[in-house]
């Protein structure tokens, strides 16, 4: 009769050896467990730490996807581009700027008025708008338009080089309006003029919602804070025009 010890499988471990293998296994697993706990702790601590605020979106800017809304067939009838340019003394050979130009509707009117001897700086803070303007200018065969990418309240215009600047339907998109007006003033020649065209209060006609419109009193306060002056004023069908000078 064989003994019970002889009947054990050859792979069975002696008690002492099994103990050593168990210790070795624990030694290997402990660092992994500690690493897992440490990782979870780091994630939890990171979540508890205050995170920097997300960058603000330009929700108040006119979306490029809606550019077609700026091209209504009756726009010239109520926008009165000829009247605006007359008041600002825009003439053949003038150097002017169109601020917040969008798809370039007013830029084209300015370019035709100043002629080949003049220059139009078509400015916007959105690259998509400038690309649309470039395509439009090319279709029109105009050689006197230069697109300019602005940044915030800085329109990036040449210093003391412009006869007139128009801000048509774009004033409500500017955050720091006093700085904006001061920067525009630096781009003017000594007798240069700025035309700010804004929507009248209320819901009548085209334009942005009532809460997005800037009333005349607010613009007047901005002008005074920027140490500018209002030299003329015009009434348009749905808008008002303030002419600013140094």
């Amino acid at each position: 009769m064989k003994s019970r010890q002889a009947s054990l499988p050859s792979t069975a471990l002696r008690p002492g050896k099994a103990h050593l293998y168990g210790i070795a296994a624990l030694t290997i697993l402990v660092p992994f467990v500690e690493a897992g706990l440490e990782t979870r702790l780091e994630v939890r601590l990171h979540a508890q730490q205050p995170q920097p605020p997300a960058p603000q979106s330009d929700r108040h800017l006119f979306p490029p996807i809606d550019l077609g809304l700026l091209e209504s067939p009756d726009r010239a009838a109520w926008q009165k581009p000829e009247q605006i340019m007359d008041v600002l003394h825009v003439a053949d050979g003038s150097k002017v700027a169109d601020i917040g130009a969008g798809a370039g509707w007013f830029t084209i009117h300015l370019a035709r008025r100043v002629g080949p001897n003049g220059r139009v700086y078509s400015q916007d803070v959105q690259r998509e708008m400038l690309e649309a303007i470039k395509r439009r200018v090319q279709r029109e065969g105009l050689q006197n338009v230069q697109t300019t990418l602005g940044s915030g309240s800085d329109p990036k215009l040449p210093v003391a080089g412009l006869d007139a600047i128009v801000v048509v339907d774009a004033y409500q998109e500017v955050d720091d309006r006093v700085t904006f007006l001061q920067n525009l003033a630096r781009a003017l020649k000594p007798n240069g003029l700025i035309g700010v065209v804004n929507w009248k209060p209320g819901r009548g006609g085209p334009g942005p919602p009532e809460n997005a419109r800037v009333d005349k009193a607010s613009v007047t306060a901005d002008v005074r804070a920027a140490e500018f002056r209002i030299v003329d004023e015009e009434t348009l069908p749905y808008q008002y025009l303030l002419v600013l000078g140094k």
Side-chain angles (χ1 to χ4, degrees):
M1 183 176 181
K2 296 181 180 180
S3 68
R4 296 183 62 183
Q5 184 176 359
S7 66
L8 289 173
S10 61
T11 55
L13 299 176
R14 295 176 183 177
K17 205 168 189 178
H19 180 68
L20 290 176
Y21 273 93
I23 294 175
L26 286 174
T27 304
I28 294 172
L29 287 174
V30 165
F32 288 100
V33 174
E34 290 179 347
L37 291 173
E38 186 174 308
T39 301
R40 287 196 295 272
L41 181 60
E42 287 179 356
V43 170
R44 184 175 297 176
L45 289 175
H46 180 72
Q48 292 174 351
Q49 290 177 352
Q51 301 299 310
Q56 296 295 319
S57 62
D58 292 325
R59 290 176 295 177
H60 62 291
L61 295 178
F62 191 88
I65 195 173
D66 291 335
L67 281 177
L69 299 176
L70 304 178
E71 305 296 324
S72 61
D74 64 337
R75 179 173 176 180
W78 54 260
Q79 186 79 91
K80 304 294 183 183
E82 300 299 323
Q83 180 181 345
I84 294 171
M85 291 187 291
D86 287 345
V87 173
L88 295 174
H89 309 306
V90 177
D92 183 70
S94 295
K95 291 179 173 57
V96 300
D98 181 12
I99 305 300
W105 187 91
F106 214 101
T107 291
I108 300 303
H109 287 273
L110 290 168
R112 291 171 179 164
R113 173 69 75 95
V114 303
N117 295 322
R119 171 67 62 179
V120 179
Y121 294 89
S122 189
Q123 185 268 5
D124 207 283
V125 296
Q126 300 185 79
R127 293 184 183 275
E128 299 93 335
M129 300 299 196
L130 298 183
E131 292 302 318
I133 293 169
K134 290 175 183 178
R135 293 192 295 269
R136 186 172 198 157
V137 167
Q138 186 176 18
R139 288 196 306 269
E140 296 281 345
L142 298 169
Q143 304 294 325
N144 58 352
V145 176
Q146 177 178 327
T147 56
T148 302
L149 180 65
S151 175
S153 299
D154 186 357
K156 306 292 184 181
L157 297 174
V159 177
L162 301 180
D163 298 293
I165 299 172
V166 296
V167 185
V168 180
D169 309 339
Y171 195 78
Q172 71 275 2
E173 298 181 357
V174 180
D175 291 325
D176 186 351
R177 293 167 183 157
V178 173
T179 300
F180 173 68
L181 291 175
Q182 291 171 338
N183 285 330
L184 293 184
R186 294 188 185 98
L188 288 178
K189 294 179 181 179
N191 295 321
L193 298 172
I194 297 173
V196 177
V197 180
N198 280 340
W199 302 96
K200 294 176 182 177
R203 302 178 182 177
E210 185 176 6
N211 61 357
R213 303 186 181 199
V214 183
D215 60 34
K216 194 183 301 182
S218 297
V219 181
T220 301
D222 294 339
V223 171
R224 289 173 179 166
E227 299 183 350
F228 232 32
R229 62 192 180 96
I230 297 175
V231 299
D232 201 353
E233 184 176 332
E234 294 278 330
T235 299
L236 306 174
Y238 302 115
Q239 299 166 303
Y240 60 89
L241 163 64
L242 297 180
V243 181
L244 317 180
K246 292 183 178 181

